[in-house]
Amino acid sequence: MFSGFDFNVIERSWRYLFFDGMEFTLRLTLFAMAGGVVFGTLLAMMRLSSIKPLAWIAGTYVNVLRSVPLVLVIFWFYFLVPYMGAWVVRSDTPIHVGAFASCLLTFTMFEACYYCEIMRAGIQSISRGQVSAGYAIGLNYWQTMGQIVLPQAFRNMVPILLTQTIVLFQDVSLVYVLSITDFVGAASKVAQRDGRLVEMYTFVALIYFISCFALSLLVRKLQARIAVVR
Amino acid sequence: MHYHWNWRIYWQQSPDGSGTYLHTLFVGLGWTLALALLAWAIALLLGIVVGVIRTTPLRWLERIGNAYVELFRNIPLLVQMFLWYFVMPELVPTALGDWIKQMPPPWGAFVPAVLCLGTFTSARVAEQVRAGINSLSRGQGMAGTALGLTLPQTYRYVLLPMALRIIVPPLGSEFLNIIKNSAVALTINVVELTASARAMQEYSFQVFEAFTAATVIYLLVNLVVVLLMRLIERKIAVPGLIGPSGGPAPAGH
Amino acid sequence: MKRLASLIAATVALSAFAAFSAPANAQGLTGTLKKVKESGTITIGHRVSSIPFSYYDDKQHPVGYAMDICYKIVDAVKADLKMPNLKVKLLPVTSSTRIPLMANGTIDLECGSTTNNAERKKQVDFGMTYYVVKYRFVSKKSAHMDKIDDLKGKTVVSTAGTTDINALNKLNTSRNFGMNILAANDHAEAFLMVETGRASAFLMDDILLSGLVANSKNPSEFSISSESLGLEPYSLMLRKDDPEFKKLVDDTMTKLYTSGEIMKIYDKWFMKPIPPKGINLNTPVSDALKNVFEHPTDSPDPSVYK
């Protein structure tokens, strides 16, 4: 079936594919996960807050970002972030924001909406009695959240948070639309230059499949273990 | 700031000769909806079949179903688009490959995009269908057998009618997802809504006006779908059940 | 719209989280030079398949005629700002991202294959013209297409965000060509559409077509049309309303031209084997371009180059 195809193209370019492309993809995934979980948790706390405007702002933010395609959000941020930066530092010319920083901000802000919904469910799964107990022994809101509610919510939600991270890892491929060199971007640049689309894209699909499948098996194992501990 | 806003841009003529920029955007919306609806039909059909075989007592069928779902879940949608568009026509017999590639635009890109979105979403629908069937009490299947129904008949008359009604709400959010995911088709040159906004940006240089319009249109479409879903959910809800619950959202988009 | 407003408000508020370096004081400088001085880096936008202007060699490093000219400008910036260790960042751009990225400050100088025209001049600015192209199309020899009229009723591809695709649209609207027009993301992808039979022809600047054909798997399979469709000057793109940087770019380029040094760069990319495959484009300087080298100009008006 693969006669006439030249798989050497992978051998010739693997260093570029992995050390430039995959490195960018992994770096972006990990940083965006960290940022997304932190910001997502804050959003979840805002959504569950008794202060109505806070809950409204967070709710609208999450709903709006969940209603538009990620591709469109990527375009928005790539072109808009430097203007926002200029507005923040009161500069009259747009400030320089690199491709990585811009993508990181995009994915952090976007994925935070999904992490937010997961963390919200996690927080809601903690019994109200625990919160009351926290206040009863004199802890304030931040102490109750930080020392009692969030650690448990986080632990309960670890498997779903990780599954969402696998989705994020796959989503990062969409920076291709900006011609940025992530794993897919690197592969497509080589593929188009050498006219080897079939070989390259098959290889890319295989690498994604193996890594995502292995990760999801790990998550499932973890889930089973956590279920026992609970 | 150096950005010059021009909100009247929507009523200016687009250089592609089809009319105003606003018209271009609405043509894009049309393609987005066509893409989403056709892919949704495929997704429902395949998803129900795969979801069902994953719950049958036949182990080998279940394995095939599981493999199908894993395959489509573990490869990014963008890469799947490339596989359908660039790779598939080169792997089928040459005559068929050439026929696929020479379909007049936009069909040459639209058809692979529909197939791609349809199969991608079918794996997610299959998950919902399986969960729906598994949520029914085992007694229902047994009752079917006791009545003398064959396995297919049990699914057709007992399990599926219940399961499908239960999973209407999660299917609704999958439909919202398919509308959003259809934007990925712009990478294989389907000029749907996001691509029209990008084209408007390229011709007019009014980046933010173009993307603002697309964002607003997506929000409106979303709103309409959510309202419709609410109507359908109310009509179709199983009497006697607690109804739409706010359980934890599964990971994904 | 309320939802949208809150989205924008939230994103702006949160962008404050991203660390932005506090501006140091660079006295007397304005625009790009001030920005470069303060940040210690200059960002060059480059292309990945604009052969031989700006494209990836076999090590995925951007090279080409435009890149060499750009590095001369970087040298001039280093000398002007007295910053020998100025960092140069490279960012791949496409025809559709280059103008917004220049406007929003992501790139400081674009070294690719960008047409300088009056419409774009409202958004960005350009250095001196460094090449003059004509629109032609490439098709498979087996299709026997050679004149612009042969495009009638065909599926024709061009690259999104280029002046070429505008020219195609114009043929359809003003001369009723009835073409199916496809917009590809980059030149290599557009060319592949002809190679794989998805499109009958690819309309693009002639020199880019020569580069793509020469680098293809089977160059003898393709032919480039003899009839052309208008002429355009290429130049380096820079930000608008930035006289200080514009002057530095213009002066550097003018010196490059009048000293004759440009011919060494020209020969390197157009008359000698170039990476990645060692092909030779064998394209001597056109009369129009020779004229530009003798009398440097940044005019966007095609008639100047006739």
Side-chain angles (χ1 to χ4, degrees):
Chain A
M1 185 162 85
F2 287 100
S3 64
F5 293 125
D6 169 23
F7 281 92
N8 283 335
V9 66
I10 293 155
E11 206 183 307
R12 288 197 302 271
S13 57
W14 71 273
R15 287 189 66 88
Y16 173 64
L17 290 181
F18 287 96
F19 288 106
D20 285 307
M22 194 48 111
E23 193 266 344
F24 183 95
T25 299
L26 287 177
R27 194 156 42 107
L28 186 53
T29 306
L30 292 176
F31 279 95
M33 174 187 70
V37 169
V38 171
F39 181 38
T41 307
L42 280 175
L43 278 174
M45 287 160 66
M46 281 168 77
R47 285 200 78 166
L48 295 170
S49 159
S50 51
I51 308 166
K52 278 273 139 38
L54 268 188
W56 183 84
I57 289 173
T60 325
Y61 175 79
V62 170
N63 285 330
V64 168
L65 249 72
R66 278 163 59 106
S67 307
V68 288
L70 176 54
V71 179
L72 187 63
V73 177
I74 289 175
F75 281 132
W76 257 119
F77 276 68
Y78 201 40
F79 299 138
L80 185 69
V81 166
Y83 291 102
M84 297 194 318
W87 186 79
V88 169
V89 301
R90 307 244 169 261
S91 154
D92 25 311
T93 48
I95 60 159
H96 175 84
V97 181
F100 181 77
S102 180
C103 290
L104 178 58
L105 193 63
T106 312
F107 279 92
T108 302
M109 309 278 287
F110 185 81
E111 297 292 334
C113 298
Y114 292 85
Y115 287 122
C116 161
E117 292 304 274
I118 296 168
M119 284 310 289
R120 188 163 68 124
I123 294 173
Q124 283 176 326
S125 73
I126 307 296
S127 92
R128 204 173 283 278
Q130 297 206 25
V131 180
S132 313
Y135 288 136
I137 58 171
L139 301 182
N140 63 24
Y141 173 78
W142 292 101
Q143 288 168 326
T144 313
M145 271 298 182
Q147 291 170 27
I148 301 178
V149 178
L150 287 181
Q152 298 182 75
F154 190 73
R155 203 196 62 184
N156 294 348
M157 287 296 145
V158 158
I160 305 182
L161 289 172
L162 287 178
T163 307
Q164 182 63 39
T165 303
I166 299 176
V167 174
L168 165 63
F169 173 58
Q170 297 187 12
D171 279 349
V172 165
S173 65
L174 288 174
V175 300
Y176 163 87
V177 298
L178 303 174
S179 195
I180 285 173
T181 311
D182 74 314
F183 186 53
V184 177
S188 81
K189 277 163 200 160
V190 175
Q192 293 187 354
R193 189 196 62 203
D194 295 355
R196 296 287 171 201
L197 299 178
V198 176
E199 296 87 337
M200 268 301 176
Y201 291 146
T202 313
F203 177 70
V204 167
L206 203 70
I207 294 293
Y208 268 111
F209 180 79
I210 292 170
S211 40
C212 293
F213 186 56
L215 284 172
S216 63
L217 286 184
L218 276 177
V219 171
R220 251 173 259 173
K221 267 204 179 137
L222 187 73
Q223 200 159 18
R225 270 183 59 182
I226 287 184
V228 172
V229 174
R230 248 198 293 179
Chain B
M1 270 215 272
H2 276 274
Y3 190 78
H4 302 286
W5 293 93
N6 175 13
W7 292 103
R8 271 169 302 180
I9 188 76
Y10 303 126
W11 286 272
Q12 282 172 23
Q13 290 294 312
S14 152
D16 64 11
S18 62
T20 58
Y21 282 115
L22 196 62
H23 179 257
T24 310
L25 289 172
F26 278 107
V27 171
L29 173 64
W31 285 108
T32 290
L33 295 178
L35 195 54
L37 286 170
L38 284 173
W40 184 240
I42 295 177
L44 273 186
L45 208 73
L46 284 175
I48 291 174
V49 172
V50 175
V52 164
I53 68 171
R54 291 179 76 197
T55 59
T56 56
L58 302 169
R59 283 308 291 267
W60 62 275
L61 261 183
E62 191 191 333
R63 288 226 178 94
I64 293 178
N66 290 345
Y68 180 92
V69 171
E70 293 300 340
L71 180 69
F72 287 102
R73 279 175 63 134
N74 287 313
I75 299 176
L77 179 59
L78 171 72
V79 177
Q80 293 189 33
M81 277 289 171
F82 288 167
L83 291 180
W84 282 101
Y85 185 68
F86 293 114
V87 179
M88 188 265 289
E90 309 298 329
L91 297 186
V92 298
T94 318
L96 178 63
D98 285 346
W99 181 78
I100 296 171
K101 286 187 285 187
Q102 276 155 13
M103 274 189 277
W107 308 111
F110 183 77
V111 173
V114 168
L115 293 173
C116 174
L117 265 183
T119 49
F120 176 81
T121 312
S122 74
R124 306 172 61 101
V125 171
E127 276 290 89
Q128 304 292 354
V129 171
R130 185 181 71 145
I133 293 176
N134 286 343
S135 76
L136 300 175
S137 93
R138 282 202 308 161
Q140 297 215 11
M142 291 174 184
T145 319
L147 278 172
L149 299 181
T150 60
L151 188 63
Q153 282 173 330
T154 310
Y155 272 101
R156 166 68 185 82
Y157 295 107
V158 183
L159 299 178
L160 274 178
M162 270 305 271
L164 290 182
R165 281 172 80 174
I166 293 176
I167 60 166
V168 162
L171 286 186
S173 33
E174 283 304 330
F175 184 66
L176 291 175
N177 284 338
I178 213 171
I179 297 176
K180 285 186 289 167
N181 285 336
S182 68
V184 178
L186 75 85
T187 56
I188 59 169
N189 307 312
V190 176
V191 189
E192 42 66 68
L193 181 52
T194 305
S196 323
R198 190 179 59 165
M200 174 175 167
Q201 173 263 118
E202 283 156 9
Y203 291 135
S204 68
F205 308 109
Q206 300 293 338
V207 187
F208 301 126
E209 290 86 340
F211 292 143
T212 302
T215 306
V216 169
I217 296 175
Y218 276 113
L219 289 178
L220 288 176
V221 169
N222 219 61
L223 201 68
V224 170
V225 174
V226 167
L227 290 178
L228 276 178
M229 285 308 303
R230 224 172 260 178
L231 217 69
I232 295 175
E233 275 169 37
R234 210 169 296 158
K235 273 244 163 82
I236 222 162
V238 182
L241 294 187
I242 296 171
S245 67
H253 291 167
Chain C
M1 279 313 282
K2 249 186 181 173
R3 294 178 119 193
L4 189 79
S6 77
L7 163 73
I8 292 169
T11 48
V12 169
L14 275 147
S15 67
F17 280 107
F20 296 116
S21 55
N25 206 13
Q27 279 189 343
L29 293 168
T30 59
T32 302
L33 288 175
K34 180 172 170 219
K35 183 172 160 246
V36 169
K37 177 92 188 176
E38 281 165 2
S39 64
T41 50
I42 183 164
T43 307
I44 292 181
H46 67 84
R47 302 299 297 268
V48 294
S49 58
S50 289
I51 305 165
F53 295 93
S54 176
Y55 66 102
Y56 275 155
D57 66 4
D58 45 355
K59 289 179 206 68
Q60 286 80 32
H61 195 78
V63 294
Y65 175 68
M67 292 303 292
D68 280 0
I69 296 177
C70 264
Y71 283 125
K72 294 280 174 204
I73 290 173
V74 171
D75 288 343
V77 172
K78 281 180 184 169
D80 191 63
L81 298 178
K82 301 190 183 59
M83 294 176 76
N85 297 322
L86 184 67
K87 263 203 297 188
V88 181
K89 270 199 203 158
L90 298 167
L91 184 74
V93 298
T94 66
S95 300
S96 60
T97 60
R98 59 192 170 188
I99 291 175
L101 289 183
M102 177 59 75
N104 78 10
T106 303
I107 56 175
D108 299 314
L109 188 63
E110 197 250 6
C111 318
S113 48
T114 306
T115 296
N116 175 2
N117 68 18
E119 202 183 336
R120 284 181 179 164
K121 268 217 147 139
K122 290 180 203 153
Q123 310 293 326
V124 289
D125 212 335
F126 292 90
M128 295 294 180
T129 298
Y130 61 66
Y131 203 81
V132 180
V133 291
K134 286 179 173 160
Y135 301 142
R136 292 179 204 272
F137 65 83
V138 68
S139 57
K140 289 216 172 141
K141 272 189 186 143
S142 53
H144 302 291
M145 294 164 69
D146 190 49
K147 296 278 186 281
I148 295 298
D149 274 350
D150 294 337
L151 293 174
K152 273 186 186 153
K154 295 281 173 28
T155 298
V156 185
V157 63
S158 192
T159 309
T162 59
T163 49
D164 306 70
I165 206 156
N166 287 358
L168 277 179
N169 282 323
K170 216 170 277 169
L171 282 179
N172 254 0
T173 48
S174 62
R175 287 170 63 185
N176 281 324
F177 261 44
M179 294 176 290
N180 281 312
I181 300 172
L182 289 176
N185 293 314
D186 214 333
H187 306 319
E189 190 187 316
F191 183 72
L192 274 168
M193 293 178 99
V194 175
E195 193 174 355
T196 57
R198 281 185 196 272
S200 309
F202 169 27
L203 185 94
M204 194 25 69
D205 308 332
D206 49 7
I207 185 67
L208 295 180
L209 292 178
S210 310
L212 289 165
V213 169
N215 262 312
S216 68
K217 273 185 265 182
N218 190 1
S220 61
E221 214 184 325
F222 302 96
S223 74
I224 295 175
S225 66
S226 64
E227 193 182 348
S228 64
L229 189 72
L231 170 155
E232 301 213 308
Y234 272 1
S235 193
L236 303 176
M237 189 166 73
L238 29 135
R239 244 181 307 283
K240 202 170 137 65
D241 303 326
D242 190 353
E244 207 175 355
F245 188 52
K246 161 95 174 130
K247 184 173 181 314
L248 186 140
V249 170
D250 284 354
D251 290 352
T252 311
M253 291 180 88
T254 306
K255 219 169 78 195
L256 205 59
Y257 293 178
T258 47
S259 70
E261 205 186 339
I262 188 72
M263 284 317 294
K264 262 189 255 160
I265 305 179
Y266 187 93
D267 284 348
K268 176 177 163 198
W269 295 102
F270 293 91
M271 301 299 287
K272 291 197 176 118
I274 55 170
K277 284 191 173 171
I279 49 140
N280 187 336
L281 290 173
N282 249 328
T283 312
V285 185
S286 65
D287 290 340
L289 187 58
K290 202 175 276 171
N291 204 22
V292 174
F293 287 162
E294 279 159 18
H295 312 281
T297 169
D298 64 351
S299 168
D301 179 8
S303 65
V304 170
Y305 303 93
K306 288 229 165 87

